[in-house]
């Protein structure tokens, strides 16, 4: 495997001693808290209810006093309720799936795009990027932050960007081959699919110039790393992020491949007990909670990511001092990521509730076949519909398939099953069977 040179985009910040880093964090946290308290009614209300004033927050040690923010707050305040600046200062909207048909959107100021770009630049440089590189961006471009995020970061580094966006495997491989792409940015499952298709299309992996890739937007495993590295003869690096905070680049792996450094001069990380919300010490597994300290458009205070991981602050071989997060080992809610698209079972439920002839009993079965996620949605027919003609039943099946595609954005294989065949549960209904094995370390 090619060796990645240990390059650091912003060594002054990325390798700063933790005491000096804390001073920056304290200042930025105080500014951010005052900014949201004065400009976002929801934050003011929550802080007043909790009896916390901006003056009570003197540094990161006071973070725990602040109330949490949740995905539901973004949904309830959709689209502009959480903006901390006048709309004229917003230059970009990005989004991802929410728990209902409506997306979660975040507004970014020029400053926020700049911060995000810097974070992705750090991530790409850690994976070996420089002016000589040709970066193929195969994350989707659009509301999803993957495409534009990787694009901005690669441009900042001075690399050549090939803005392929997602899909069209043959064309992806042809361009990668003919242009001599040296880095690839896409979801890990698609990277494996591309790698497997490469041989099927008759290419010799040696004809490719790829040396590394930044893969994220969905959970993946060490086994998948081995597979990607072998298929393409590259170094595969993990990159993490979420729309609400900044898109990709919130955290990224360095050549040590021992966790993802969180850009702590821009984002503060805590791990809390998902049930009680109590902060947990470094090393313990729990829910990742993030606070932005340099965003101006839509800052997030103690945002519950629902992602489960651990934090590690021990020194890293690369020289960076910023804390590292482990792989995401699970979620505290029922969000699924299918072919890179975030979705919630409740979205499927809302589709079914609007269709006559089916009962709101369903089961989602997720598999990975040839490196591609497959979603099967089993839906119960009502007694009346069960006795109907095959043509009528096929019509319903098509309707459900189309609506899931349009509301959730994922193509599903809809299977209609006879009444009362989906197991009923006495407690919380079990709606998901995920056979992909992605939640192991
Ligand atoms: O997925 C941003 C992104 C794009 C990250 C490209 C990396 C690369 P959202 O669509 O808002 O943003 O989804 C965020 O995706 O809360 C995690 O559950 C999951 N996720 C993102 N990166 C990783 C990763 C983008 N490296 C949600 N490993 C997050 C595991 C990830 N899960």
């Amino acid at each position: 495997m090619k060796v990645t040179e240990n390059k650091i985009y912003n060594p002054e910040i990325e390798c700063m001693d933790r005491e000096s880093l804390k001073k920056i964090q304290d200042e930025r946290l105080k500014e951010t808290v005052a900014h949201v308290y004065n400009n976002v009614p929801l934050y003011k209300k929550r802080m007043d209810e909790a009896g916390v004033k901006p003056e009570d927050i003197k540094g990161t040690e006071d973070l725990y006093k602040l109330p949490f923010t949740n995905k539901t707050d973004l949904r309830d305040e959709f689209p502009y309720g959480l903006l901390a600046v006048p709309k004229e200062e917003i230059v970009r909207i990005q989004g991802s799936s929410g728990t209902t048909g409506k997306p979660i959107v975040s507004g970014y100021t020029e400053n926020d795009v700049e911060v995000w770009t810097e974070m992705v630049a750090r991530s790409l440089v850690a994976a070996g990027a420089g002016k000589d590189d040709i970066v193929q961006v195969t994350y989707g471009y659009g509301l999803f932050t993957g495409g534009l995020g990787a694009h901005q970061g690669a441009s900042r580094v001075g690399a050549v960007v090939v803005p392929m966006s997602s899909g069209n495997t043959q064309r992806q491989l042809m361009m990668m081959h003919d242009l001599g792409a040296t880095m690839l940015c896409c979801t890990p499952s698609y990277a494996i699919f591309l790698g497997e298709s490469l041989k099927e299309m008759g290419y010799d992996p040696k004809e490719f110039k790829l040396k590394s890739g930044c893969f994220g937007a969905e959970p993946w495993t060490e086994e998948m790393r081995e597979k990607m590295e072998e298929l393409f003869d590259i170094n595969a690096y993990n990159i993490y992020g979420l729309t609400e905070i900044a898109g990709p680049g919130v955290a990224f792996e360095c050549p040590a491949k021992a966790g993802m450094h969180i850009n702590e001069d821009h984002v503060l990380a805590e791990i809390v007990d998902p049930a009680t919300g109590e902060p947990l010490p470094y090393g313990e597994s729990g829910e990742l909670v993030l606070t932005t300290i340099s965003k101006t458009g839509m800052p997030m205070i103690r945002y519950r990511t629902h992602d489960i991981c651990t934090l590690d602050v021990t020194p890293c071989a690369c020289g960076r001092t910023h804390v590292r997060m482990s792989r995401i080992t699970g979620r505290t809610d029922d969000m699924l990521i299918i072919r890179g698209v975030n979705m919630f079972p409740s979205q499927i439920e809302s589709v079914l509730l609007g269709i006559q002839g089916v009962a709101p009993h369903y089961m989602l079965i997720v598999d990975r076949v040839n490196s591609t996620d497959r979603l099967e949605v089993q839906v119960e027919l009502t007694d009346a519909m069960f006795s109907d003609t095959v043509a009528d039943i096929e019509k319903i099946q098509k309707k459900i398939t189309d609506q899931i595609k349009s509301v959730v954005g994922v193509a599903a294989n809809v299977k209609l099953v006879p009444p009362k065949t989906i197991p009923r549960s006495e407690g919380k209904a079990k709606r998901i069977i995920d056979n992909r094995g992605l939640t192991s370390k």
Side-chain angles (χ1 to χ4, degrees), residues 178-200:
D178 295 355
L179 298 175
T182 55
M183 293 182 71
L184 174 64
C185 298
C186 65
T187 58
S189 53
Y190 193 58
I192 292 177
F193 185 70
L194 279 172
E196 283 171 344
S197 308
L198 180 151
K199 282 189 190 149
E200 280 162 27

Side-chain angles (χ1 to χ4, degrees), residues 14-315:
E14 293 180 71
C15 303
M16 179 175 269
D17 67 275
R18 294 197 59 82
E19 218 174 286
S20 309
L21 178 63
K22 182 171 182 319
K23 285 195 187 124
I24 295 181
Q25 292 175 328
D26 290 348
E27 277 318 300
R28 291 186 176 173
L29 176 63
K30 282 191 279 184
E31 271 172 33
T32 302
V33 170
H35 179 53
V36 297
Y37 187 82
N38 294 327
N39 294 295
V40 184
L42 183 80
Y43 281 121
K44 180 172 187 316
K45 181 168 161 271
R46 290 266 168 86
M47 283 174 61
D48 286 347
E49 279 166 4
V52 197
K53 291 268 170 277
E55 311 80 80
D56 298 333
I57 307 301
K58 303 210 162 54
T60 53
E61 61 283 1
D62 296 321
L63 193 55
Y64 76 94
K65 295 179 182 162
L66 292 163
F68 291 118
T69 312
N70 270 295
K71 218 183 242 293
T72 46
D73 295 324
L74 276 97
R75 189 192 60 199
D76 297 345
E77 298 293 321
F78 176 88
Y80 300 128
L82 290 177
L83 289 187
V85 295
K87 232 180 282 155
E88 305 84 77
E89 285 183 38
I90 298 296
V91 298
R92 180 86 61 80
I93 297 288
Q94 301 274 174
S96 71
S97 308
T99 47
T100 59
K102 283 232 162 77
I104 291 289
V105 295
S106 186
Y108 299 62
T109 59
E110 216 170 305
N111 161 80
D112 301 341
V113 175
E114 169 57 36
V115 167
W116 177 23
T117 303
E118 156 97 15
M119 296 202 292
V120 186
R122 291 181 194 173
S123 316
L124 291 172
V125 169
K131 281 192 187 324
D132 297 338
D133 281 296
I134 300 176
V135 181
Q136 183 151 337
V137 179
T138 299
Y139 287 119
Y141 280 63
L143 271 184
F144 174 56
T145 52
L148 283 163
H151 187 113
Q152 291 157 190
S155 301
R156 174 61 50 88
V157 167
V160 176
V161 189
V162 187
M164 292 296 293
S165 197
S166 51
N168 204 337
T169 305
Q170 288 203 356
R171 223 160 94 93
Q172 295 279 355
L173 287 170
M174 185 189 80
M175 295 295 267
M176 193 186 292
H177 177 268
D178 295 355
L179 298 175
T182 55
M183 293 182 71
L184 174 64
C185 298
C186 65
T187 58
S189 53
Y190 193 58
I192 292 177
F193 185 70
L194 279 172
E196 283 171 344
S197 308
L198 180 151
K199 282 189 190 149
E200 280 162 27
M201 282 173 62
Y203 284 114
D204 177 351
K206 288 199 197 75
E207 292 168 21
F208 286 75
K209 297 220 166 60
L210 273 195
K211 63 174 189 187
S212 69
C214 292
F215 306 109
E218 62 184 11
W220 54 292
T221 59
E222 280 306 308
E223 290 74 37
M224 288 171 72
R225 186 191 322 261
E226 275 166 33
K227 193 145 195 203
M228 279 186 267
E229 296 194 333
E230 185 202 308
L231 284 167
F232 283 114
D233 187 25
I234 57 167
N235 276 290
Y237 295 107
N238 203 350
I239 181 165
Y240 170 85
L242 56 163
T243 317
E244 299 88 318
I245 303 296
V250 169
F252 61 88
E253 264 184 338
C254 64
K257 296 180 184 161
M260 296 179 272
H261 291 281
I262 298 179
N263 281 301
E264 281 187 288
D265 54 323
H266 296 304
V267 181
L268 301 180
E270 301 169 85
I271 295 288
V272 304
D273 179 325
T276 64
E278 282 305 309
L280 296 172
Y282 285 135
E284 279 196 35
S285 175
E287 181 179 345
L288 181 68
V289 171
L290 298 173
T291 299
T292 62
I293 51 171
S294 52
K295 258 181 106 163
T296 52
M298 205 166 129
M300 286 285 117
I301 303 291
R302 300 196 84 204
Y303 184 68
R304 305 280 298 244
T305 65
H306 292 282
D307 290 321
I308 298 171
C309 66
T310 57
L311 294 180
D312 180 0
V313 77
T314 60

Side-chain angles (χ1 to χ4, degrees), residues 406-440:
S406 95
V407 172
V408 186
V410 169
N413 174 22
V414 173
K415 198 168 151 192
L416 297 174
V417 298
K420 304 197 179 57
T421 47
I422 290 191
R424 305 293 194 259
S425 104
E426 286 173 8
K428 202 168 145 56
K430 184 166 167 43
R431 305 257 188 231
I432 305 168
I433 299 175
D434 193 337
N435 296 320
R436 293 174 298 176
L438 295 173
T439 48
S440 62

